[in-house]
Coordinates of all heavy atoms in Angstrom, one line a residue:
M1 N 177.3 -33.0 39.3 CA 177.6 -31.8 39.9 C 177.1 -30.7 38.9 O 177.4 -30.7 37.7 CB 179.1 -31.6 40.2 CG 179.4 -30.4 41.1 SD 181.1 -30.3 41.6 CE 181.3 -31.7 42.6
G2 N 176.5 -29.6 39.4 CA 175.9 -28.6 38.6 C 176.9 -27.5 38.2 O 178.1 -27.5 38.7
K3 N 176.5 -26.7 37.3 CA 177.4 -25.6 36.8 C 177.5 -24.5 38.0 O 176.6 -24.2 38.6 CB 176.7 -25.0 35.6 CG 177.5 -23.8 35.0 CD 176.8 -23.2 33.8 CE 177.6 -22.0 33.3 NZ 176.9 -21.3 32.3
F4 N 178.7 -24.0 38.1 CA 179.0 -23.0 39.1 C 179.0 -21.7 38.4 O 179.8 -21.3 37.6 CB 180.4 -23.3 39.7 CG 180.8 -22.3 40.7 CD1 180.3 -22.4 42.0 CD2 181.7 -21.2 40.5 CE1 180.7 -21.5 43.0 CE2 182.1 -20.3 41.4 CZ 181.5 -20.5 42.7
P5 N 177.9 -20.9 38.6 CA 177.8 -19.6 37.9 C 178.8 -18.5 38.4 O 179.0 -18.4 39.6 CB 176.3 -19.2 38.2 CG 176.0 -19.8 39.5 CD 176.8 -21.1 39.6
V6 N 179.4 -17.9 37.4 CA 180.3 -16.8 37.7 C 179.8 -15.5 37.0 O 179.7 -15.5 35.8 CB 181.7 -17.1 37.2 CG1 182.7 -16.0 37.5 CG2 182.3 -18.4 37.9
P7 N 179.5 -14.5 37.7 CA 178.9 -13.3 37.1 C 180.0 -12.5 36.3 O 181.2 -12.6 36.6 CB 178.4 -12.5 38.3 CG 179.2 -12.9 39.4 CD 179.5 -14.3 39.2
D8 N 179.5 -11.7 35.4 CA 180.5 -10.8 34.6 C 181.1 -9.8 35.5 O 182.2 -9.4 35.4 CB 179.8 -10.1 33.5 CG 179.3 -11.1 32.4 OD1 180.0 -12.2 32.3 OD2 178.4 -10.8 31.7
K9 N 180.3 -9.2 36.5 CA 180.7 -8.2 37.4 C 180.2 -8.6 38.8 O 179.2 -9.1 39.0 CB 180.1 -6.8 37.1 CG 180.6 -6.2 35.8 CD 180.0 -4.9 35.6 CE 180.3 -4.2 34.3 NZ 179.7 -2.9 34.1
T10 N 181.0 -8.2 39.8 CA 180.7 -8.4 41.2 C 180.9 -7.1 41.9 O 182.0 -6.5 41.9 CB 181.5 -9.5 41.9 OG1 181.3 -10.7 41.1 CG2 181.0 -9.7 43.3
L11 N 179.9 -6.5 42.5 CA 179.9 -5.3 43.3 C 179.9 -5.7 44.8 O 179.0 -6.3 45.2 CB 178.8 -4.4 42.9 CG 178.6 -3.1 43.7 CD1 179.8 -2.2 43.5 CD2 177.3 -2.4 43.4
F12 N 180.9 -5.2 45.5 CA 181.0 -5.5 46.9 C 180.7 -4.1 47.6 O 181.4 -3.2 47.4 CB 182.4 -6.0 47.4 CG 182.7 -7.3 46.7 CD1 183.4 -7.3 45.5 CD2 182.4 -8.5 47.4 CE1 183.8 -8.5 45.0 CE2 182.8 -9.7 46.8 CZ 183.4 -9.7 45.6
I13 N 179.7 -4.1 48.4 CA 179.3 -2.8 49.1 C 179.5 -3.0 50.6 O 178.9 -3.9 51.2 CB 177.9 -2.4 48.8 CG1 177.7 -2.1 47.3 CG2 177.5 -1.2 49.7 CD1 176.3 -1.7 46.9
C14 N 180.2 -2.2 51.3 CA 180.4 -2.3 52.7 C 179.2 -1.7 53.4 O 178.7 -0.6 53.1 CB 181.7 -1.5 53.1 SG 182.0 -1.5 54.9
T15 N 178.7 -2.5 54.3 CA 177.5 -2.1 55.2 C 177.9 -2.2 56.6 O 177.0 -2.3 57.5 CB 176.3 -2.9 54.9 OG1 176.6 -4.3 55.1 CG2 175.8 -2.7 53.4
G16 N 179.2 -2.0 56.9 CA 179.6 -2.0 58.3 C 179.0 -0.7 59.0 O 178.4 0.1 58.3
S17 N 179.2 -0.5 60.2 CA 178.5 0.5 61.0 C 178.7 1.9 60.4 O 177.7 2.6 60.2 CB 178.9 0.5 62.5 OG 180.3 0.7 62.6
K18 N 179.9 2.3 60.1 CA 180.1 3.7 59.6 C 179.6 3.8 58.2 O 179.0 4.8 57.8 CB 181.6 4.0 59.6 CG 181.9 5.5 59.9 CD 183.3 5.8 60.1 CE 183.5 6.5 61.4 NZ 184.8 7.0 61.6
C19 N 179.9 2.8 57.3 CA 179.4 2.9 55.9 C 177.9 2.9 55.9 O 177.3 3.6 55.1 CB 180.0 1.7 55.1 SG 181.7 1.9 54.7
A20 N 177.3 2.0 56.7 CA 175.8 2.0 56.8 C 175.2 3.3 57.1 O 174.2 3.8 56.5 CB 175.3 0.9 57.8
K21 N 175.8 4.0 58.1 CA 175.3 5.3 58.5 C 175.4 6.3 57.5 O 174.7 7.3 57.4 CB 176.0 5.8 59.8 CG 175.6 5.0 61.0 CD 176.5 5.4 62.2 CE 176.2 4.5 63.4 NZ 177.1 4.8 64.5
R22 N 176.4 6.2 56.6 CA 176.7 7.2 55.6 C 176.1 6.8 54.2 O 176.5 7.3 53.2 CB 178.2 7.4 55.4 CG 178.8 8.0 56.7 CD 180.2 8.3 56.5 NE 180.7 8.9 57.8 CZ 182.0 9.2 57.9 NH1 182.9 8.9 57.0 NH2 182.4 9.7 59.1
G23 N 175.2 5.8 54.2 CA 174.5 5.5 53.0 C 174.8 4.1 52.3 O 174.1 3.8 51.3
G24 N 175.7 3.4 52.9 CA 176.0 2.1 52.3 C 174.9 1.1 52.3 O 174.7 0.4 51.3
K25 N 174.1 1.0 53.4 CA 173.0 0.1 53.5 C 171.9 0.4 52.4 O 171.4 -0.5 51.7 CB 172.4 0.1 54.9 CG 171.5 -1.0 55.2 CD 171.1 -1.0 56.7 CE 170.3 -2.2 57.0 NZ 170.0 -2.2 58.5
D26 N 171.6 1.7 52.3 CA 170.6 2.1 51.3 C 171.1 1.9 49.9 O 170.3 1.4 49.0 CB 170.2 3.6 51.5 CG 169.4 3.8 52.8 OD1 168.7 2.9 53.2 OD2 169.5 4.9 53.3
T27 N 172.3 2.1 49.7 CA 172.9 1.9 48.3 C 172.9 0.4 48.0 O 172.7 0.0 46.9 CB 174.3 2.5 48.3 OG1 174.3 3.9 48.5 CG2 175.0 2.3 46.9
Y28 N 173.2 -0.4 49.0 CA 173.2 -1.9 48.8 C 171.8 -2.3 48.3 O 171.7 -3.0 47.3 CB 173.5 -2.6 50.1 CG 173.3 -4.1 50.0 CD1 174.1 -4.9 49.3 CD2 172.1 -4.6 50.6 CE1 173.8 -6.3 49.2 CE2 171.9 -6.0 50.5 CZ 172.7 -6.8 49.8 OH 172.4 -8.1 49.7
K29 N 170.7 -1.8 48.9 CA 169.4 -2.2 48.5 C 169.1 -1.7 47.1 O 168.5 -2.4 46.3 CB 168.4 -1.6 49.5 CG 168.4 -2.2 50.9 CD 167.5 -1.5 51.8 CE 167.6 -2.1 53.2 NZ 166.8 -1.3 54.2
A30 N 169.5 -0.5 46.8 CA 169.2 0.1 45.5 C 170.0 -0.7 44.4 O 169.5 -1.0 43.3 CB 169.6 1.6 45.4
A31 N 171.2 -1.0 44.7 CA 172.1 -1.8 43.7 C 171.5 -3.2 43.5 O 171.5 -3.7 42.4 CB 173.5 -1.9 44.3
K32 N 171.0 -3.8 44.5 CA 170.4 -5.2 44.4 C 169.2 -5.1 43.5 O 169.0 -5.9 42.6 CB 169.9 -5.7 45.7 CG 171.0 -6.3 46.6 CD 171.6 -7.5 46.1 CE 170.8 -8.7 46.5 NZ 171.5 -10.0 46.2
R33 N 168.3 -4.0 43.7 CA 167.2 -3.9 42.8 C 167.6 -3.6 41.3 O 167.1 -4.2 40.4 CB 166.3 -2.7 43.3 CG 165.4 -3.0 44.4 CD 164.4 -1.9 44.7 NE 165.0 -0.6 44.9 CZ 165.4 -0.1 46.0 NH1 165.3 -0.8 47.2 NH2 166.0 1.1 46.1
F34 N 168.6 -2.7 41.2 CA 169.1 -2.4 39.8 C 169.6 -3.7 39.2 O 169.3 -3.9 38.0 CB 170.2 -1.4 39.9 CG 170.8 -1.0 38.6 CD1 170.2 -0.1 37.8 CD2 172.0 -1.6 38.1 CE1 170.7 0.2 36.5 CE2 172.5 -1.4 36.9 CZ 171.9 -0.4 36.1
A35 N 170.4 -4.5 39.9 CA 171.0 -5.7 39.3 C 170.0 -6.7 38.9 O 170.1 -7.3 37.8 CB 172.0 -6.3 40.3
K36 N 168.9 -6.7 39.6 CA 167.8 -7.7 39.4 C 167.1 -7.4 38.1 O 166.7 -8.3 37.3 CB 166.8 -7.7 40.5 CG 165.7 -8.7 40.4 CD 164.8 -8.7 41.6 CE 163.7 -9.7 41.5 NZ 162.9 -9.7 42.7
Y37 N 166.9 -6.1 37.8 CA 166.1 -5.7 36.6 C 166.9 -5.1 35.5 O 166.4 -4.7 34.4 CB 165.1 -4.7 37.0 CG 164.1 -5.2 38.0 CD1 164.1 -4.8 39.4 CD2 163.2 -6.2 37.7 CE1 163.2 -5.4 40.3 CE2 162.3 -6.8 38.6 CZ 162.3 -6.3 39.9 OH 161.5 -6.9 40.8
S38 N 168.3 -5.0 35.6 CA 169.1 -4.4 34.6 C 169.3 -5.3 33.3 O 169.7 -4.7 32.3 CB 170.5 -4.0 35.1 OG 171.2 -5.2 35.4
G39 N 169.2 -6.6 33.5 CA 169.5 -7.5 32.4 C 171.0 -7.8 32.2 O 171.4 -8.5 31.3
Q40 N 171.8 -7.2 33.1 CA 173.2 -7.5 33.1 C 173.5 -8.6 34.1 O 172.7 -8.9 35.0 CB 174.0 -6.2 33.5 CG 173.8 -5.0 32.6 CD 174.6 -3.8 33.0 OE1 175.8 -4.0 33.3 NE2 173.9 -2.7 33.1
D41 N 174.7 -9.2 33.9 CA 175.1 -10.3 34.8 C 176.0 -9.7 35.9 O 177.2 -9.7 35.9 CB 175.9 -11.3 34.0 CG 176.1 -12.6 34.8 OD1 175.5 -12.8 35.9 OD2 177.0 -13.4 34.4
I42 N 175.3 -9.1 36.9 CA 176.0 -8.4 38.0 C 175.5 -9.0 39.3 O 174.3 -9.2 39.5 CB 175.6 -6.9 38.1 CG1 176.0 -6.2 36.8 CG2 176.3 -6.2 39.2 CD1 175.6 -4.8 36.7
E43 N 176.4 -9.4 40.2 CA 176.1 -9.8 41.5 C 176.5 -8.8 42.5 O 177.6 -8.2 42.5 CB 176.9 -11.1 41.8 CG 176.4 -11.7 43.1 CD 177.0 -13.1 43.3 OE1 177.6 -13.7 42.4 OE2 176.8 -13.7 44.4
V44 N 175.6 -8.5 43.5 CA 175.8 -7.5 44.5 C 176.0 -8.2 45.8 O 175.1 -8.9 46.2 CB 174.7 -6.4 44.5 CG1 175.0 -5.4 45.6 CG2 174.5 -5.8 43.2
I45 N 177.1 -8.0 46.5 CA 177.4 -8.6 47.7 C 177.6 -7.6 48.8 O 178.4 -6.7 48.7 CB 178.6 -9.5 47.6 CG1 178.3 -10.6 46.5 CG2 179.0 -10.2 48.9 CD1 179.5 -11.5 46.2
R46 N 176.9 -7.8 49.9 CA 177.1 -7.0 51.1 C 178.3 -7.5 51.9 O 178.3 -8.7 52.2 CB 175.8 -7.0 51.9 CG 175.9 -6.2 53.2 CD 174.7 -6.1 53.9 NE 173.9 -7.4 54.0 CZ 172.7 -7.5 54.3 NH1 172.0 -6.4 54.6 NH2 172.1 -8.7 54.3
I47 N 179.2 -6.6 52.3 CA 180.3 -7.0 53.1 C 180.3 -6.2 54.4 O 179.8 -5.1 54.4 CB 181.7 -6.9 52.4 CG1 181.9 -5.6 51.8 CG2 181.8 -8.0 51.3 CD1 183.3 -5.4 51.2
E48 N 180.8 -6.7 55.5 CA 180.8 -6.0 56.8 C 181.8 -4.9 57.0 O 181.5 -3.9 57.5 CB 180.9 -7.0 57.9 CG 179.6 -7.8 58.1 CD 178.4 -7.0 58.5 OE1 178.5 -6.0 59.3 OE2 177.4 -7.2 57.9
C49 N 183.0 -5.1 56.5 CA 184.0 -4.0 56.8 C 185.2 -4.2 55.8 O 185.6 -5.3 55.6 CB 184.5 -4.1 58.2 SG 185.5 -2.7 58.6
T50 N 185.6 -3.1 55.3 CA 186.8 -3.0 54.4 C 188.0 -2.4 55.1 O 189.0 -2.3 54.6 CB 186.5 -2.2 53.1 OG1 186.2 -0.9 53.5 CG2 185.4 -2.9 52.3
D51 N 187.7 -2.0 56.4 CA 188.7 -1.3 57.2 C 189.2 0.0 56.5 O 190.4 0.4 56.6 CB 189.9 -2.2 57.5 CG 190.7 -1.8 58.7 OD1 190.2 -1.1 59.6 OD2 191.9 -2.1 58.7
R52 N 188.3 0.7 55.9 CA 188.5 2.0 55.3 C 187.5 3.0 55.8 O 186.9 3.7 55.0 CB 188.5 1.8 53.8 CG 189.6 1.0 53.2 CD 189.4 0.7 51.7 NE 190.6 0.1 51.1 CZ 191.0 -1.1 51.2 NH1 190.2 -2.0 51.9 NH2 192.1 -1.6 50.6
C53 N 187.2 3.0 57.1 CA 186.2 3.7 57.7 C 186.3 5.2 57.5 O 185.3 6.0 57.5 CB 186.0 3.4 59.1 SG 185.6 1.7 59.4
D54 N 187.6 5.7 57.3 CA 187.8 7.1 57.2 C 187.2 7.7 55.8 O 187.0 8.9 55.7 CB 189.3 7.5 57.2 CG 189.9 7.3 58.6 OD1 189.1 7.3 59.6 OD2 191.1 7.2 58.7
W55 N 186.9 6.8 54.9 CA 186.4 7.1 53.6 C 185.0 6.6 53.3 O 184.6 6.5 52.2 CB 187.4 6.6 52.5 CG 188.7 7.2 52.6 CD1 189.1 8.4 52.2 CD2 189.9 6.5 53.2 NE1 190.5 8.6 52.5 CE2 190.9 7.4 53.1 CE3 190.1 5.3 53.7 CZ2 192.2 7.1 53.6 CZ3 191.4 5.0 54.2 CH2 192.4 5.9 54.1
A56 N 184.3 6.3 54.4 CA 183.0 5.7 54.3 C 182.0 6.6 53.6 O 182.1 7.8 53.7 CB 182.4 5.4 55.7
P57 N 181.1 6.0 52.8 CA 180.9 4.6 52.5 C 181.9 4.2 51.4 O 182.3 5.0 50.6 CB 179.5 4.5 52.0 CG 179.2 5.9 51.4 CD 180.0 6.8 52.2
V58 N 182.2 2.9 51.4 CA 183.2 2.4 50.4 C 182.6 1.2 49.7 O 181.8 0.4 50.3 CB 184.4 1.9 51.2 CG1 185.4 1.2 50.3 CG2 185.1 3.1 51.9
C59 N 182.9 1.1 48.4 CA 182.5 -0.1 47.6 C 183.6 -0.4 46.6 O 184.4 0.4 46.3 CB 181.1 0.0 47.0 SG 181.1 1.1 45.6
T60 N 183.5 -1.6 46.0 CA 184.5 -2.0 45.0 C 183.8 -2.9 44.0 O 182.8 -3.6 44.3 CB 185.7 -2.7 45.6 OG1 186.6 -3.0 44.5 CG2 185.4 -4.0 46.3
I61 N 184.2 -2.8 42.8 CA 183.6 -3.7 41.7 C 184.7 -4.4 41.0 O 185.8 -3.9 40.8 CB 182.8 -2.9 40.7 CG1 181.9 -3.8 39.8 CG2 183.6 -1.9 39.9 CD1 180.7 -3.1 39.2
S62 N 184.5 -5.7 40.7 CA 185.4 -6.5 39.9 C 184.7 -7.0 38.7 O 183.5 -7.3 38.8 CB 185.9 -7.7 40.8 OG 186.7 -7.2 41.9
P63 N 185.4 -7.3 37.6 CA 186.8 -7.1 37.4 C 187.1 -5.6 37.3 O 186.2 -4.8 37.2 CB 187.1 -7.8 36.1 CG 185.8 -7.7 35.3 CD 184.7 -7.8 36.4
G64 N 188.3 -5.3 37.4 CA 188.8 -3.9 37.3 C 189.4 -3.4 38.6 O 190.1 -2.4 38.6
N65 N 189.0 -4.0 39.7 CA 189.5 -3.5 41.0 C 189.3 -2.0 41.2 O 190.1 -1.3 41.6 CB 191.0 -3.9 41.2 CG 191.4 -3.8 42.7 OD1 190.6 -3.9 43.6 ND2 192.7 -3.5 42.9
I66 N 188.0 -1.6 40.9 CA 187.7 -0.2 41.0 C 187.0 0.1 42.3 O 186.1 -0.6 42.7 CB 186.7 0.2 39.8 CG1 187.4 0.0 38.5 CG2 186.3 1.7 40.0 CD1 186.4 0.0 37.3
W67 N 187.5 1.1 43.1 CA 187.0 1.4 44.4 C 186.4 2.8 44.3 O 186.9 3.7 43.7 CB 188.2 1.4 45.4 CG 188.7 0.1 45.8 CD1 189.5 -0.7 45.0 CD2 188.4 -0.7 46.9 NE1 189.7 -1.9 45.7 CE2 189.1 -1.9 46.9 CE3 187.6 -0.4 48.1 CZ2 189.0 -2.8 47.9 CZ3 187.5 -1.4 49.1 CH2 188.2 -2.6 48.9
L68 N 185.3 2.9 45.1 CA 184.7 4.2 45.3 C 184.7 4.5 46.8 O 184.4 3.7 47.6 CB 183.2 4.2 44.8 CG 182.9 4.1 43.3 CD1 181.4 4.2 43.0 CD2 183.6 5.3 42.5
K69 N 184.9 5.8 47.1 CA 184.9 6.2 48.5 C 183.9 7.5 48.5 O 183.8 8.2 47.6 CB 186.2 6.6 49.0 CG 186.9 7.7 48.3 CD 188.3 8.0 48.8 CE 189.0 9.1 48.1 NZ 188.6 10.4 48.4
E70 N 183.3 7.6 49.7 CA 182.4 8.8 49.9 C 181.5 9.0 48.7 O 181.3 10.1 48.2 CB 183.2 10.0 50.2 CG 184.2 9.8 51.4 CD 185.2 11.0 51.6 OE1 185.4 11.7 50.6 OE2 185.7 11.1 52.7
Y71 N 180.9 7.9 48.2 CA 180.1 7.9 47.0 C 178.7 8.3 47.3 O 178.2 8.3 48.4 CB 180.2 6.6 46.3 CG 179.7 5.4 47.2 CD1 178.3 5.2 47.4 CD2 180.6 4.6 47.8 CE1 177.9 4.2 48.2 CE2 180.1 3.5 48.6 CZ 178.8 3.4 48.8 OH 178.3 2.4 49.6
S72 N 177.9 8.6 46.2 CA 176.5 8.7 46.3 C 175.9 7.5 45.6 O 176.6 6.7 44.9 CB 176.0 10.0 45.5 OG 176.2 9.8 44.1
E73 N 174.6 7.3 45.8 CA 173.9 6.1 45.2 C 174.0 6.2 43.7 O 174.2 5.2 43.0 CB 172.5 6.1 45.6 CG 171.7 4.9 45.3 CD 170.3 4.9 45.9 OE1 170.2 5.0 47.2 OE2 169.4 4.9 45.2
K74 N 173.9 7.4 43.2 CA 174.0 7.6 41.7 C 175.4 7.2 41.2 O 175.5 6.6 40.1 CB 173.8 9.1 41.4 CG 173.8 9.5 40.0 CD 173.5 11.0 39.8 CE 173.5 11.4 38.4 NZ 173.3 12.8 38.2
D75 N 176.5 7.5 41.9 CA 177.8 7.1 41.5 C 177.9 5.5 41.4 O 178.6 5.0 40.4 CB 178.9 7.5 42.5 CG 179.0 9.0 42.7 OD1 178.8 9.7 41.7 OD2 179.4 9.5 43.8
V76 N 177.3 4.8 42.3 CA 177.4 3.4 42.3 C 176.6 2.8 41.1 O 177.1 1.9 40.4 CB 176.9 2.8 43.6 CG1 176.8 1.3 43.6 CG2 177.8 3.2 44.7
L77 N 175.4 3.3 40.9 CA 174.6 2.8 39.8 C 175.3 3.1 38.4 O 175.2 2.3 37.5 CB 173.2 3.5 39.8 CG 172.4 3.1 41.0 CD1 171.0 3.8 41.0 CD2 172.2 1.6 41.2
K78 N 176.0 4.2 38.3 CA 176.7 4.6 37.1 C 177.9 3.6 36.9 O 178.2 3.1 35.8 CB 177.3 6.0 37.2 CG 178.0 6.4 35.9 CD 178.5 7.8 36.0 CE 179.1 8.4 34.8 NZ 180.2 7.6 34.2
L79 N 178.6 3.2 38.0 CA 179.7 2.3 38.0 C 179.2 0.9 37.5 O 179.8 0.2 36.7 CB 180.3 2.1 39.4 CG 181.4 1.2 39.5 CD1 182.6 1.6 38.8 CD2 181.8 1.0 41.0
M80 N 178.0 0.5 37.9 CA 177.4 -0.8 37.5 C 177.1 -0.8 36.0 O 177.1 -1.9 35.4 CB 176.1 -1.1 38.3 CG 176.4 -1.3 39.8 SD 174.9 -1.5 40.8 CE 174.4 -3.1 40.3
T81 N 176.8 0.3 35.4 CA 176.5 0.3 33.9 C 177.7 0.5 33.0 O 177.6 0.3 31.8 CB 175.5 1.4 33.6 OG1 176.0 2.7 34.0 CG2 174.2 1.2 34.4
D82 N 178.8 0.9 33.6 CA 180.1 1.1 32.8 C 180.6 -0.3 32.3 O 180.5 -1.3 32.9 CB 181.1 1.9 33.6 CG 180.7 3.3 33.7 OD1 179.8 3.8 33.0 OD2 181.3 4.0 34.6

């Protein structure tokens, strides 16, 4: 059995209908590109809904259980480097 890789950080970005319309889908793509070339051990995962549509777009990063609401792409990329 092979090694099960566990990243240092995991970013979950909601790309449900409301979040996608408010920038979640584009931010997901930018975060994936950033994670690929940053040299950090970050996994970016697209999720369908966090049931927080009133604050769309929404994302969270672990460890730390940090949530962003109504964010910009720049806010997310900054969160990934902290």
Side-chain angles (χ1 to χ4, degrees):
M1 192 174 294
K3 181 181 176 190
F4 183 77
V6 177
D8 292 335
K9 293 181 183 179
T10 305
L11 175 66
F12 298 92
I13 298 179
C14 182
T15 58
S17 61
K18 212 172 236 187
C19 286
K21 289 177 188 173
R22 294 184 182 174
K25 194 172 187 179
D26 292 332
T27 300
Y28 168 75
K29 291 175 185 177
K32 284 289 276 190
R33 281 190 306 271
F34 178 84
K36 184 176 181 178
Y37 298 109
S38 72
Q40 299 181 49
D41 189 16
I42 302 173
E43 185 170 355
V44 180
I45 298 175
R46 175 176 43 194
I47 55 177
E48 283 300 315
C49 189
T50 61
D51 200 26
R52 291 168 170 83
C53 299
D54 290 341
W55 299 282
V58 176
C59 72
T60 183
I61 193 163
S62 293
N65 195 28
I66 299 168
W67 287 78
L68 291 181
K69 62 181 179 76
E70 303 170 340
Y71 59 77
S72 70
E73 191 173 297
K74 185 178 176 180
D75 296 330
V76 174
L77 296 178
K78 184 178 183 310
L79 180 65
M80 292 174 74
T81 60
D82 289 344

